Amino acid sequence: MNNVLKKIGDIGLVPVVVMDNADFAVPAAKALMDGGIKIMEITMRTEQGITAIKKVKEAYPDMLVGAGTVLSIEKAEKSVAAGAEFIVSPGLNIELVEWCQKKEVVITPGVITPTEVQQALKFGLTILKYFPANIFGGIKGCEALYGPYRMVKFIPTGGVNKENLADFANKSYIYAVGGGWLCKPEDINEKKFDKITQIAKESVDILLGFELAHIGINTKSEKESLAAAKVFSDAFGFSLKEGNSSNFSGEGIEVNKSKWYGTMGHIAIRTNSICRAVYYIEKKGYKIDWSTRKGTEQKPVAVYLKNEIGGFAVHLLQK
Ligand code: 3PG
């Protein structure tokens, strides 16, 4: 897959930024990065958009910067020359798509209807903005379109915010979620950069949806495992579920039938998306042991971190 597209999916959030004053572009980019979001879609809605793209790319070459609200080839040319690495248009503009494909620039055009999806598919485009998402059914609208078009993933944008982000975050057909809530023009213009960072952090947390799934206890044998699981079930009324390599008491306690990973045992952390979770935790310096992966490369369902934490092996678990 194209590297830019892959990054958009890994980051999973696309701040749509309307820049009234390009002098604030770099601090706004820094505020987002401090909140963990290394991507910006700077819109062509203001005169300052092109200069803003240039300034951010010069200051932070690592930040993925795209141009949004691109309505003409001329604007696409200018934004790419300024450093934009992807193009977003609110609707499907065939000439623009052709230009982007000729220039090998990623484009995620907006669609709403099956006809538009089919037109996009003719160009081999399978990652599409769904805009304006809130007016056209939100997650229900995306789900309905995904029904017949299983090869498509959406970037819903328009009316998404911290309050409804969770509805989108745990769906396999949602490639990323875009929106202005992540970097509001009023916060930029009033230099409330700490607020932008805070919203970014909270949004990343919602996106990843980390929560404790279960703890894993190591035992030496099948007999020992079953005995321990039975005690938990007897004492607390958790239902006993016998498995191949382990027994569960309730959902929260796994008792392994052998010495499994982890000096003390293991802890499972559930997430909306293992791929995204890996992207974010690797950025913090934690390593993944891919040899422990369960599921496919595209759709991992579990994978361990390389190092133990407090004597426990830790694995991610797909919700
Ligand atoms: C866009 O161009 O994608 C939308 O204007 C973003 O909409 P929002 O501000 O409601 O998130």
Side-chain angles (χ1 to χ4, degrees):
M1 174 185 272
N2 173 288
N3 207 27
V4 168
L5 267 181
K6 180 173 179 334
K7 261 199 196 166
I8 295 174
D10 281 345
I11 300 170
L13 293 169
V14 184
V16 176
V17 188
V18 180
M19 206 58 83
D20 292 318
N21 180 349
D23 288 345
F24 295 155
V26 172
K30 182 174 185 304
L32 285 169
M33 283 199 294
D34 289 347
I37 301 179
K38 286 182 86 174
I39 183 172
M40 260 174 137
E41 175 192 324
I42 298 177
T43 68
M44 295 298 110
R45 265 170 245 186
T46 62
E47 291 293 316
Q48 300 277 296
I50 300 280
T51 316
I53 291 176
K54 209 162 176 215
K55 287 194 172 201
V56 174
K57 275 318 283 185
E58 271 167 20
Y60 302 117
D62 272 4
M63 181 104 181
L64 188 60
V65 180
T69 325
V70 178
L71 306 179
S72 65
I73 292 174
E74 187 210 337
K75 268 281 147 67
E77 262 166 357
K78 283 190 176 153
S79 49
V80 169
E85 294 151 286
F86 64 96
I87 298 288
V88 184
S89 56
L92 185 67
N93 174 338
I94 299 298
E95 287 79 40
L96 188 59
V97 169
E98 283 172 339
W99 182 87
C100 285
Q101 294 195 325
K102 205 167 102 204
K103 301 283 173 186
E104 295 184 357
V105 177
V106 165
I107 178 162
T108 57
V111 298
I112 281 295
T113 65
T115 308
E116 289 159 355
V117 172
Q118 282 180 199
Q119 268 184 301
L121 283 174
K122 272 197 194 165
F123 290 88
L125 297 172
T126 53
I127 294 164
L128 305 169
K129 173 169 172 161
Y130 183 77
F131 176 78
N134 58 334
I135 306 298
F136 289 92
I139 189 62
K140 287 207 169 90
C142 296
E143 192 182 353
L145 269 191
Y146 175 65
Y149 305 114
R150 295 280 156 146
M151 64 300 268
V152 170
K153 287 187 198 266
F154 299 103
I155 306 179
T157 311
V160 184
N161 51 45
K162 242 172 48 190
E163 283 62 49
N164 59 15
L165 173 60
D167 299 345
F168 299 91
N170 62 355
K171 306 292 187 302
S172 64
Y173 50 87
I174 299 300
Y175 193 71
V177 182
W181 94 93
L182 288 159
C183 195
K184 294 186 190 146
E186 61 265 33
D187 291 340
I188 302 173
N189 296 336
E190 290 165 29
K191 300 190 196 172
K192 291 186 180 160
F193 298 114
D194 289 349
K195 192 173 160 201
I196 294 171
T197 298
Q198 186 59 27
I199 293 172
K201 273 189 187 150
E202 289 167 6
S203 301
V204 170
D205 286 347
I206 297 169
L207 179 80
L208 299 177
F210 286 135
E211 57 191 29
L212 180 62
H214 62 254
I215 60 146
I217 299 167
N218 292 333
T219 66
K220 289 190 203 71
S221 67
E222 200 165 336
K223 206 172 136 200
E224 217 183 294
S225 159
L226 190 60
K230 275 186 173 164
V231 175
F232 278 111
S233 293
D234 180 55
F236 305 110
F238 301 151
S239 59
L240 181 72
K241 206 173 124 226
E242 295 183 42
N244 292 329
S245 57
S246 66
N247 298 302
F248 270 85
S249 176
E251 285 196 351
I253 297 166
E254 179 178 23
V255 190
N256 289 100
K257 298 181 182 179
S258 62
K259 167 82 184 74
W260 192 244
Y261 293 104
T263 313
M264 315 268 279
H266 76 265
I267 293 175
I269 307 286
R270 219 184 266 126
T271 176
N272 286 325
S273 160
I274 287 194
C275 294
R276 273 188 209 132
V278 166
Y279 168 85
Y280 279 94
I281 65 174
E282 279 189 339
K283 282 257 165 301
K284 293 183 179 178
Y286 301 101
K287 302 242 172 346
I288 299 297
D289 179 357
W290 284 110
S291 71
T292 64
R293 187 195 75 216
K294 281 190 186 156
T296 62
E297 201 178 321
Q298 277 74 36
K299 280 190 179 172
V301 292
V303 71
Y304 276 85
L305 270 66
K306 221 167 210 154
N307 297 316
E308 294 188 354
I309 304 176
F312 285 85
V314 177
H315 75 78
L316 298 170
L317 190 64
Q318 179 67 44
K319 276 189 197 172

